[in-house]
Amino acid sequence: MLGSVVAAWRLPEYISENIEMLEAYKLIMKYLTTTQVSPFEVAFVENRDPLATSVSSDTLEIKEPALLIQFENVPIDRIDEVIPKMEKLLRRIVKDGPEKFDLERISNFIDRVVINNLKEMENSPHLFLPDASVLDMLYGEKPEHLKTFVTSSQLNKKFLQKNGTFWLNIIEDVFIHSFKVVVKGRPSMKKVKELTD
């Protein structure tokens, strides 16, 4: 039987207090989990002893945002191995230092986000603008917040100038030194039968 594991971190500030940094958090999660060469894919999926069939990340864009990393199709008898392995991997990435951090890969993510954002504004403004206006309506506290929500993806360009230490500090501050909530999903045959009945 297979289950799933989700680790989640609540960010220390309201979404409207640092809209730009929320973009940096999204980028570092892409770096950690997206593509077959990402650290989490290599450690948990693309190896001879996989612990999951996929690792993904998500951001809860609410008043106090949260970052999530999800591990899918984890063997039930190994579900307790996921979080210790994740913690060890994160510490190793930080310990390896900025020299081993792949700046080219994260720069590619930044370029892709900026280009996709421009395409959305050009081709589908009716889909793009409502997201920013809803975020502003729910969480904006100053008149300038609407503009920042609308242009937040374009602000990613400034992160191209950041060095490996900047990104490693985010990993250390958010994913290592902050408290997290872990949810382990174990399937229940009893519950399946109840629902079927």
Side-chain angles (χ1 to χ4, degrees), residues 28-76:
I28 198 64
M29 287 200 308
K30 277 180 188 264
Y31 176 88
L32 292 171
T33 64
T34 305
T35 76
Q36 292 178 321
V37 297
S38 69
F40 275 59
E41 281 284 325
V42 170
F44 288 90
V45 181
E46 300 291 333
N47 60 66
R48 293 184 181 191
D49 186 28
L51 260 181
T53 59
S54 68
V55 182
S56 60
S57 60
D58 199 5
T59 307
L60 297 182
E61 293 186 359
I62 52 180
K63 184 160 188 159
E64 294 179 50
L67 308 177
L68 289 76
I69 296 180
Q70 301 147 338
F71 303 84
E72 298 293 337
N73 298 316
V74 179
I76 291 296

Side-chain angles (χ1 to χ4, degrees), residues 9 28 32 90-91 93-95 165-178:
W9 294 262
I28 198 64
L32 292 171
L90 289 167
R91 284 193 297 271
I93 292 168
V94 170
K95 186 180 176 187
T165 303
F166 170 82
W167 299 107
L168 293 176
N169 285 343
I170 292 177
I171 293 173
E172 190 168 19
D173 294 343
V174 175
F175 299 108
I176 296 175
H177 293 315
S178 297

Side-chain angles (χ1 to χ4, degrees), residues 85-96:
K85 185 170 183 172
M86 178 192 78
E87 291 170 341
K88 184 178 178 184
L89 174 61
L90 289 167
R91 284 193 297 271
R92 194 193 79 223
I93 292 168
V94 170
K95 186 180 176 187
D96 284 347

Side-chain angles (χ1 to χ4, degrees), residues 105-190:
R105 223 175 122 247
I106 204 156
S107 296
N108 290 338
F109 284 128
I110 294 168
D111 290 338
R112 200 173 309 148
V113 166
V114 170
I115 289 168
N116 287 342
N117 179 254
L118 288 171
K119 282 182 184 175
E120 283 179 5
M121 285 193 284
E122 179 79 25
N123 299 330
S124 308
H126 62 290
L127 298 175
F128 168 73
L129 283 173
D131 291 344
S133 57
V134 167
L135 282 173
D136 180 62
M137 183 179 68
L138 293 174
Y139 310 120
E141 296 176 7
K142 297 178 183 173
E144 60 269 20
H145 283 159
L146 175 59
K147 180 181 178 185
T148 313
F149 280 123
V150 170
T151 60
S152 59
S153 292
Q154 292 304 306
L155 299 173
N156 279 320
K157 285 186 274 191
K158 77 175 200 174
F159 294 123
L160 287 168
Q161 311 306 318
K162 299 296 184 182
N163 59 22
T165 303
F166 170 82
W167 299 107
L168 293 176
N169 285 343
I170 292 177
I171 293 173
E172 190 168 19
D173 294 343
V174 175
F175 299 108
I176 296 175
H177 293 315
S178 297
F179 291 108
K180 64 182 168 292
V181 172
V182 175
V183 178
K184 298 175 184 177
R186 291 183 167 93
S188 165
M189 293 307 291
K190 180 181 173 188

